[in-house]
Amino acid sequence: MKIFPALSLALPRPQKSLEKNSWNLFLKRHYATSEMIMDAFMHLRKAGILKREIFDLDEEKKRLLHGASFLGSKEFYSWLRELPPIEAEGIGMTLLEGAASEILKMARS
């Protein structure tokens, strides 16, 4: 478990015969949804962990991350702005009533 050494100390270790398969499943199958999307999701995407796509029936697009609001560092907002269009489409947002304009202002600054 080289990606998250500090985290691996807190997690129970799988049996040795299952360890490789368990870790491979972890790396293959992650889609994320959260009320608040923050820097951690950016790091999961950059590390190649956040890559499972689902099909959003309402918008008829593939998604790998969906959130109600975005809050993060300048690096996070820069990362969002600089995503290639095809990858940016994989991030969905359900705006909170009354907060939509503030969120969009933060993302653009």
Side-chain angles (χ1 to χ4, degrees):
M1 298 200 174
K2 295 178 183 174
I3 295 177
F4 301 107
L7 179 62
S8 68
L9 296 175
L11 296 174
R13 304 271 307 169
Q15 295 175 356
K16 288 196 183 275
S17 62
L18 299 176
E19 186 170 333
K20 186 176 180 182
N21 288 337
S22 297
W23 187 245
N24 287 340
L25 287 174
F26 173 78
L27 292 175
K28 286 182 187 178
R29 301 183 182 250
H30 278 69
Y31 162 80
T33 185
S34 178
E35 186 174 338
M36 185 178 299
I37 304 300
M38 58 194 104
D39 290 58
F41 294 97
M42 170 186 68
H43 294 296
L44 289 170
R45 181 65 182 157
K46 286 181 174 182
I49 293 169
L50 185 61
K51 59 186 173 183
R52 179 179 178 197
E53 294 180 327
I54 59 137
F55 191 74
D56 184 330
L57 295 174
D58 294 332
E59 297 183 25
E60 297 184 359
K61 293 181 180 178
K62 288 183 179 179
R63 301 279 188 213
L64 57 89
L65 175 61
H66 198 100
S69 60
F70 291 62
L71 181 63
S73 64
K74 287 183 179 183
E75 178 190 3
F76 175 70
Y77 291 114
S78 177
W79 173 73
L80 286 173
R81 279 192 306 273
E82 294 168 7
L83 283 173
I86 191 85
E87 194 167 343
E89 283 185 13
I91 300 175
M93 182 175 184
T94 303
L95 296 176
L96 301 173
E97 189 174 331
S101 62
E102 292 302 314
I103 292 167
L104 291 173
K105 281 183 205 174
M106 287 173 40
R108 292 182 179 137
S109 62

